[in-house]
Amino acid sequence: MKTHELIYTLDTIDDIARDLCELLDEYPVFTFTGNLGAGKTTLIQAIFNRCGIHEEIQSPTFTYLSTYANANGQTFYHFDLYRLKNTHDFTTMGFDEYLYNPLSWCFIEWPEIIMPLLTKKVCHITIDYHGYDRRRLRYIVI
């Protein structure tokens, strides 16, 4: 496993999204870890835009899941697990059935609680502050 590191700003976020979209063919699950306000949802929106989803993307903090589809029949699941208590709650709600579906991808904010379920074909992304208007993105693929 190799860790990749990129520094970006809002002006260059589309370049980062383009680079991450190149991983979609091989990795159906992407996790996003970082402090509140680090830019997890903003990056997900940039990725979704590149995938043909042009509606406003908001983190599903209270509903846990939002579903989006593009004109190519591809489905994108956006999870926010910040309020989730344990893995059992995730599976009881049936969310584990969304993982690894054909022609679909899962983008999971605050994934720590379900990491035992994510053992293959995952791109783990961490976003940190790197100065006032810059972010450091590190990712590793499994």
Side-chain angles (χ1 to χ4, degrees):
M1 290 185 290
K2 180 181 176 189
T3 300
H4 304 269
E5 185 172 308
L6 308 162
I7 306 295
Y8 68 97
T9 66
L10 280 178
D11 292 336
T12 61
I13 196 169
D14 192 53
D15 296 333
I16 300 301
R18 181 194 62 234
D19 292 347
L20 292 173
C21 282
E22 291 178 8
L23 301 173
L24 290 173
D25 286 339
E26 192 170 346
Y27 300 96
V29 176
F30 289 73
T31 66
F32 295 82
T33 304
N35 291 331
L36 285 170
K40 297 178 294 293
T41 302
T42 302
L43 180 57
I44 291 170
Q45 180 160 4
I47 294 168
F48 284 9
N49 283 338
R50 291 202 63 86
C51 293
I53 299 167
H54 300 292
E55 58 192 276
E56 183 179 349
I57 307 298
Q58 294 184 351
S59 190
T61 304
F62 296 103
T63 59
Y64 299 113
L65 171 65
S66 293
T67 303
Y68 303 92
N70 65 14
N72 298 329
Q74 298 170 319
T75 304
F76 298 82
Y77 301 110
H78 182 193
F79 288 92
D80 181 328
L81 305 181
Y82 183 75
R83 299 180 319 110
L84 201 66
K85 301 277 188 254
N86 54 54
T87 304
H88 176 74
D89 289 348
F90 185 82
T91 57
T92 299
M93 289 186 265
F95 291 151
D96 57 321
E97 296 176 18
Y98 293 90
L99 301 173
Y100 307 106
N101 281 331
L103 292 176
S104 70
W105 291 266
C106 292
F107 292 78
I108 306 168
E109 295 185 46
W110 305 101
E112 294 80 4
I113 199 79
I114 64 158
M115 288 304 237
L117 301 176
L118 307 176
T119 59
K120 61 180 180 181
K121 297 200 175 264
V122 181
C123 177
H124 294 289
I125 296 170
T126 302
I127 302 172
D128 296 309
Y129 292 100
H130 192 71
Y132 172 71
D133 64 345
R134 297 186 309 166
R135 300 294 187 266
R136 177 185 1 204
L137 178 143
R138 284 176 272 150
Y139 72 92
I140 187 168
V141 291
I142 297 174

